[in-house]
Amino acid sequence: MNRFLAALTAALLLTPSLAPAQEAGTEFDLRDFEAGEPVLAYNLAVVPLHTRKGPPYDDYTVLEEAQNARKVDVREVGDGNVPELSVRNRDERPMYLLGGEVLLGGKQDRMVQSDVVLDAGERRRVPVVCVEQGRWEGQDLSFRPGLAVAHPDLRRAALFSEQGAVWNEVARKSQVSGVSSETGTYRRVLQDATLRKRIGQYLDEIQAKLPRDERMAGLAVAINGELEVVDVFDSPKLYGKLERKLLASYVLAAIEKQPGRAEQAEQGQAKARSLKKKDIDAFVGTPKEGQKKVFRTKGKAIHGTFFGSTEGKK
């Protein structure tokens, strides 16, 4: 138990960081992207973003793909270290870990704190946060993909706050989702049968309407007509591999924000249908300090995430 408390204390003191070989920037030029028509499902709307750049596009393996090919190992560091996991990429391509990806197992479930690229054959300690407050045990020190990306508010907490804020957001989301577990794990939210059914309804409707072309590289996301987050990638190939998980994370945010009355729903949908590129540009250009993150590797911007204001939330 003393070791557990010591590990948790270390996690609480940890400030968000990236590996030395990678750096966070604060710019991602959306002039390189065109916006398509909004796609609506219930109270969620997504605006497809298409890169103006032509191929070739950078290719990466991603977590599930590498796992299925048995080309990735994710384990505890030694006997366990809350804010780090050891990841080895055994693929011949670089592997992309997206900030917010959930990893299940080990001594407690974790979540990748911020985007990481591992070169072919590389082993690295990857910064993570705990999303299971009440467990620090287990004989199997390996992990498996959670097949999910955390909802935007949890991603934001991991990027810009500390471990306590992550636990608070896991607890809040569990409560509003009507789920609970003895260990306070986020996986209970992700695996709830009722939520999964509702998420599937949104996903089927949205993905059936989304345009399909090789230049699609991101989404601007609105809930009840209000822009909440933008995720955009340099490589359409990478975006395509992550699209469904990202969409599911947006749906998880939208489900708890159902409009109270029919006229509110109609107003939100009307506002969502009117979204244009200028609205997205204004949103990206005005987030408060600390509410945007651009991931770079080897001097190249790969993924930009832009969060809306927290004013009026929760």
Side-chain angles (χ1 to χ4, degrees), residues 141-157:
L141 301 182
S142 64
F143 289 80
R144 66 184 185 279
L147 308 179
V149 172
H151 63 283
D153 280 346
L154 188 52
R155 289 168 58 198
R156 185 206 301 258

Side-chain angles (χ1 to χ4, degrees), residues 182-217:
E182 290 184 359
T183 62
T185 178
Y186 185 60
R187 79 161 79 183
R188 184 69 183 85
V189 174
L190 300 175
Q191 295 178 350
D192 181 76
T194 300
L195 279 175
R196 287 172 65 89
K197 180 179 179 180
R198 187 70 175 123
I199 289 171
Q201 292 171 336
Y202 272 83
L203 289 179
D204 290 345
E205 186 162 342
I206 289 176
Q207 289 199 296
K209 298 176 183 176
L210 277 175
R212 293 297 160 196
D213 66 62
E214 68 170 4
R215 297 189 302 114
M216 188 168 169

